[in-house]
Amino acid sequence: MSDVGIRDVAARAGVSPGTVSNVLNRPEKVSPATRAKVEAAVRELGFVRHGSASTLRAGHSKTIGLSVIDIGNPFFTDVTAGVEEVASDLGYAVILSNSAGSRAKEERNLLVLAEQRVRGVLITPSDEDLDRLDRLRARGIAVVLVDHPAHCPDQCSVAVNDIGGGMTAVRHLTDTGAKSIVYVTGPLTIRQCLDRRAGAERAYGRPLPVIEMAAMTPRAGQQAAEKLLSEGDLPDAVFCANDLLALGLMRGLTHAGVRVPGDVAVIGYDDIDFAAASAVSLTSIRQPTHQLGRVATELLLDECDNPATHAHQQIMFQPELVVRESTQGQAGRASFDR
Amino acid sequence: MSDVGIRDVAARAGVSPGTVSNVLNRPEKVSPATRAKVEAAVRELGFVRHGSASTLRAGHSKTIGLSVIDIGNPFFTDVTAGVEEVASDLGYAVILSNSAGSRAKEERNLLVLAEQRVRGVLITPSDEDLDRLDRLRARGIAVVLVDHPAHCPDQCSVAVNDIGGGMTAVRHLTDTGAKSIVYVTGPLTIRQCLDRRAGAERAYGRPLPVIEMAAMTPRAGQQAAEKLLSEGDLPDAVFCANDLLALGLMRGLTHAGVRVPGDVAVIGYDDIDFAAASAVSLTSIRQPTHQLGRVATELLLDECDNPATHAHQQIMFQPELVVRESTQGQAGRASFDR
DNA sequence: CCGGTCCAGAAAAACGTTTCAAATTTGACC
DNA sequence: GGTCAAATTTGAAACGTTTTTCTGGACCGG
């Protein structure tokens, strides 16, 4: 069943297989009359092109790979949605792989992608060692870094200015009156966490006290709250390296009877949907997540489809402060967006 | 570069291409000595099998498709994570497609999957018309329904008992003293929303007042709160068709000065991570989401790898009540999990 | 020492497309 | 009606595997 091949279509339409292939791939090359005949035959027979045969002969596929660190994080989900949109519009299929933070798993996934002969790979690398990506590129697989600036200019990347974001966050906290600030973060081996701290300290003018958690989840945020409470004096404000931590932290504080923002102001990072929806809505640093995915995919597919004219770009988006209740100590609930 | 083929490996190892193929696919068929030679050659040359050629000749691929309704919903994200885990363990790649609730987009995506000659498809159908799936199966592509019971027994499906879940939810509300209850839901064309209502009304003993929103997002939940407030008397409790709605609703109520759970109890559905993390933690009906993805994938791959012995199964999981603060009117914050 | 059995490995034929040079048709123009 | 160039179409050779059929020994019992 369904073993309808291009030659069956050709027979039915009374043309040669080559012509059918042309109708499929370069319709402008074939006369309207023939094209119509072939298209009719395709419909009647329910022909579906065999992607593997096509890939094999043509030397390239219509698929791209996407490798993310944590598919459970709304940040990556949003990126993924953007990627999927663009890819699907251009007829590309997306193979998703989740490295779950494990270098080994990422490596295994990349091998699968290489076997699949994907046209290109979008990746948020799980660590700073990018040799394996150069190996991919040596294989003729385009690579675009997502949420990670490229180290050399012969490669595309799409990132968001984390240093700037960190500065903005802390500047907002001090602007609204905070004197003492604590930085709650995930592993400081993660570039994003490091950069945000760097920016934060630049704006703060001196080192920040740090609470470093192993994960970047609501759970970890709640534990961070306990840690914070056990350390004695509460700071005026807390800057969390992502919203998941911030949401957990707020909950932990609230339960201990600490008022947010009355006693402690909290600012997060990412501006995930739940930041606006939580009971005390969370001030956050918005990243153009969806856009990140879209642009990365556009760059990748441009590199694939127009290798001649393609110019590598390292795009750096600017994050944006979104003020909500969690940092409105006195102003109250003036205006909330969303 | 990287145009290292099986014949290059063969030459290097001093064997025939057929032998290399055997080492790759049936290592037990070849003597240890030769195998070692071949494996060395593979390593030295950096050979990566050409998946398309392999698929073409072998007649089947090492990929499966996953089609979800909304990749932005944590429910589907969790399912996806489960799918990815199992698939990746068994060496399968997952092609992700997001139908975004659009029937047309789903159809386009399924075509791409068919072209890719995926081994099977996991799908949460975007509507009740399942003919297109039968067409896929006629093509020799296995299909497993996810979060949707199969209509006929010649097909695998994995679902959760939504009627039972609805009953559990309302029973919990009445148990904790609620007399009047409102059902806040997404489009009632969605099976899940319908079934949950059916269960709820069965437990309630009579029809429930319904507030039907177009989307199932926090935003829509907040709008539902406004609607509820504008309708005069507040109910004792609200049952929301999913957690996203519930979180938005709670926020809307809280902002209007209504206390949750003091004035109105709220129960959600899905038990997404944020249900536990929100400031007033949300009582919810937990679905074994991750498990759903895992089991569905196991069924699919069993059907693919052991077509002879495979028995179609329609699995129905039972959801589970998770009590948190949003329905603890008087008991206060006794014990909270997570 | 011989005939038969087995096993490892070899050789060649697919799989269903795309591609490209060659062949054919078409159309314009004199 | 004939000629030439342009436009279409054809046909066969790849693409890199897997699979199936064979072959040449090694091994065994008699």
Side-chain angles (χ1 to χ4, degrees):
Chain A
M1 196 142 282
S2 170
D3 32 9
V4 181
I6 210 175
R7 39 209 325 150
D8 301 302
V9 175
R12 172 89 169 218
V15 300
S16 80
T19 301
V20 176
S21 175
N22 280 334
V23 171
L24 260 33
N25 302 305
R26 303 179 211 68
E28 75 284 359
K29 285 275 172 196
V30 49
S31 76
T34 331
R35 194 193 315 172
K37 270 193 304 184
V38 172
E39 282 167 348
V42 165
R43 247 190 319 277
E44 289 159 18
L45 267 43
F47 166 78
V48 173
R49 172 216 259 103
H50 194 305
S52 295
S54 165
T55 296
L56 173 58
R57 177 58 237 232
H60 54 79
S61 70
K62 282 293 234 177
T63 58
I64 61 175
L66 170 62
S67 175
V68 300
I69 291 182
D70 174 14
I71 187 63
N73 185 331
F75 173 83
F76 289 111
T77 304
D78 287 354
V79 172
T80 303
V83 170
E84 215 273 343
E85 268 178 34
V86 175
S88 146
D89 270 1
L90 276 69
Y92 279 81
V94 178
I95 302 186
L96 173 72
S97 37
N98 184 22
S99 61
S102 144
R103 168 69 184 265
K105 189 146 187 290
E106 180 183 286
E107 214 129 1
R108 242 174 42 217
N109 288 335
L110 289 181
L111 177 62
V112 173
L113 293 180
E115 285 195 355
Q116 249 21 71
R117 289 302 193 270
V118 293
R119 200 69 183 281
V121 169
L122 295 165
I123 182 171
T124 303
S126 64
D127 65 28
E128 291 302 307
D129 175 15
L130 304 183
D131 289 355
R132 57 191 182 286
L133 301 184
D134 293 335
R135 251 176 286 138
L136 270 191
R137 294 166 64 214
R139 282 219 150 70
I141 299 179
V143 173
V144 172
L145 298 178
V146 177
D147 198 33
H148 196 290
H151 47 338
C152 41
D154 62 343
Q155 165 161 218
C156 284
S157 70
V158 176
V160 187
N161 184 350
D162 284 305
I163 296 186
M167 290 179 63
T168 306
V170 165
R171 203 174 289 137
H172 170 68
L173 292 177
T174 53
D175 281 356
T176 53
K179 301 290 179 218
S180 58
I181 301 180
V182 168
Y183 180 52
V184 170
T185 181
L188 283 174
T189 52
I190 297 184
R191 185 198 56 76
Q192 284 85 339
C193 294
L194 274 175
D195 281 3
R196 288 167 198 174
R197 179 175 68 168
E201 297 191 335
R202 192 178 306 171
Y204 196 50
R206 57 187 189 283
L208 281 166
V210 168
I211 298 185
E212 179 179 355
M213 309 302 294
M216 300 181 73
T217 60
R219 178 62 137 309
Q222 201 163 341
Q223 291 161 353
E226 290 160 19
K227 220 165 183 172
L228 194 65
L229 291 163
S230 70
E231 282 182 356
D233 287 351
L234 283 175
D236 298 336
V238 177
F239 170 32
C240 293
N242 84 359
D243 284 349
L244 267 35
L245 283 171
L247 290 174
L249 182 90
M250 283 206 296
R251 173 158 200 258
L253 291 178
T254 305
H255 272 284
V258 177
R259 284 168 311 160
V260 175
D263 301 326
V264 178
V266 175
I267 186 169
Y269 208 108
D270 283 350
D271 190 30
I272 63 176
D273 277 352
F274 300 97
S278 95
V280 172
S281 65
L282 179 65
T283 296
S284 191
I285 304 293
R286 174 180 299 170
Q287 311 205 67
T289 339
H290 198 256
Q291 195 65 1
L292 215 58
R294 290 193 63 100
V295 172
T297 312
E298 283 162 3
L299 283 174
L300 184 71
L301 294 184
D302 181 61
E303 184 168 348
C304 293
D305 295 340
N306 316 90
T309 66
H310 177 78
H312 292 295
Q313 292 181 53
Q314 294 81 41
I315 294 184
M316 177 74 83
F317 285 101
Q318 295 305 322
E320 180 193 343
L321 174 69
V322 179
V323 179
R324 297 204 187 83
E325 297 163 2
S326 68
T327 54
Q328 305 270 51
Q330 62 291 23
R333 35 200 61 154
S335 70
F336 21 101
D337 61 338
R338 296 219 178 172
Chain B
M1 195 140 282
S2 171
D3 32 9
V4 181
I6 209 176
R7 40 207 326 149
D8 300 302
V9 176
R12 172 87 169 216
V15 299
S16 81
T19 301
V20 176
S21 174
N22 278 334
V23 171
L24 260 34
N25 303 305
R26 305 179 209 65
E28 75 283 359
K29 285 274 169 195
V30 50
S31 77
T34 333
R35 194 194 314 171
K37 269 193 304 184
V38 172
E39 282 166 349
V42 165
R43 247 190 320 277
E44 289 160 17
L45 268 44
F47 166 79
V48 172
R49 171 218 258 103
H50 194 304
S52 295
S54 164
T55 296
L56 173 59
R57 177 58 236 234
H60 53 81
S61 69
K62 281 295 234 178
T63 58
I64 61 176
L66 171 61
S67 175
V68 301
I69 291 181
D70 174 15
I71 187 63
N73 185 330
F75 174 83
F76 289 110
T77 304
D78 286 353
V79 173
T80 302
V83 170
E84 215 272 344
E85 268 178 34
V86 175
S88 145
D89 270 0
L90 275 69
Y92 279 82
V94 178
I95 301 186
L96 174 70
S97 36
N98 183 23
S99 62
S102 144
R103 168 70 184 264
K105 189 146 187 288
E106 181 184 284
E107 214 129 0
R108 242 174 44 219
N109 288 334
L110 289 181
L111 177 63
V112 173
L113 294 180
E115 285 195 354
Q116 261 0 88
R117 290 302 194 271
V118 293
R119 200 69 182 281
V121 169
L122 295 165
I123 183 171
T124 303
S126 65
D127 65 29
E128 291 301 308
D129 174 15
L130 304 183
D131 288 356
R132 57 191 184 288
L133 301 184
D134 293 335
R135 251 176 287 137
L136 269 191
R137 294 166 65 214
R139 281 218 150 72
I141 299 180
V143 173
V144 172
L145 297 177
V146 177
D147 198 32
H148 196 290
H151 47 340
C152 41
D154 62 341
Q155 167 163 212
C156 284
S157 70
V158 176
V160 187
N161 184 350
D162 284 305
I163 296 186
M167 291 178 63
T168 305
V170 165
R171 202 174 290 138
H172 170 67
L173 292 177
T174 53
D175 281 357
T176 54
K179 301 289 181 219
S180 59
I181 301 180
V182 168
Y183 180 52
V184 170
T185 180
L188 283 174
T189 52
I190 296 183
R191 185 197 57 76
Q192 285 84 341
C193 293
L194 274 175
D195 281 4
R196 287 167 200 175
R197 179 175 69 166
E201 297 190 334
R202 192 178 305 171
Y204 197 48
R206 56 187 190 280
L208 282 167
V210 167
I211 297 185
E212 179 179 355
M213 309 303 294
M216 299 181 74
T217 59
R219 179 62 138 306
Q222 202 163 340
Q223 290 161 354
E226 290 161 19
K227 220 165 184 170
L228 194 67
L229 291 164
S230 70
E231 282 181 358
D233 286 353
L234 283 175
D236 298 336
V238 177
F239 170 31
C240 293
N242 82 359
D243 285 348
L244 268 35
L245 283 170
L247 290 173
L249 182 91
M250 283 206 297
R251 174 158 199 258
L253 291 178
T254 305
H255 272 284
V258 176
R259 284 168 312 160
V260 176
D263 301 325
V264 178
V266 175
I267 186 169
Y269 208 107
D270 282 351
D271 190 31
I272 62 177
D273 277 352
F274 300 97
S278 95
V280 172
S281 65
L282 179 66
T283 295
S284 191
I285 304 293
R286 174 180 300 170
Q287 310 206 67
T289 338
H290 198 257
Q291 195 65 3
L292 216 57
R294 290 192 63 100
V295 172
T297 311
E298 282 162 4
L299 283 175
L300 184 71
L301 295 184
D302 181 60
E303 184 168 349
C304 293
D305 294 340
N306 316 90
T309 66
H310 177 77
H312 293 294
Q313 292 182 54
Q314 295 81 39
I315 295 183
M316 177 74 84
F317 285 102
Q318 295 305 323
E320 180 193 342
L321 175 69
V322 179
V323 179
R324 296 204 186 82
E325 297 162 2
S326 68
T327 55
Q328 304 270 52
Q330 63 291 24
R333 35 202 61 155
S335 70
F336 22 102
D337 61 336
R338 297 213 178 181

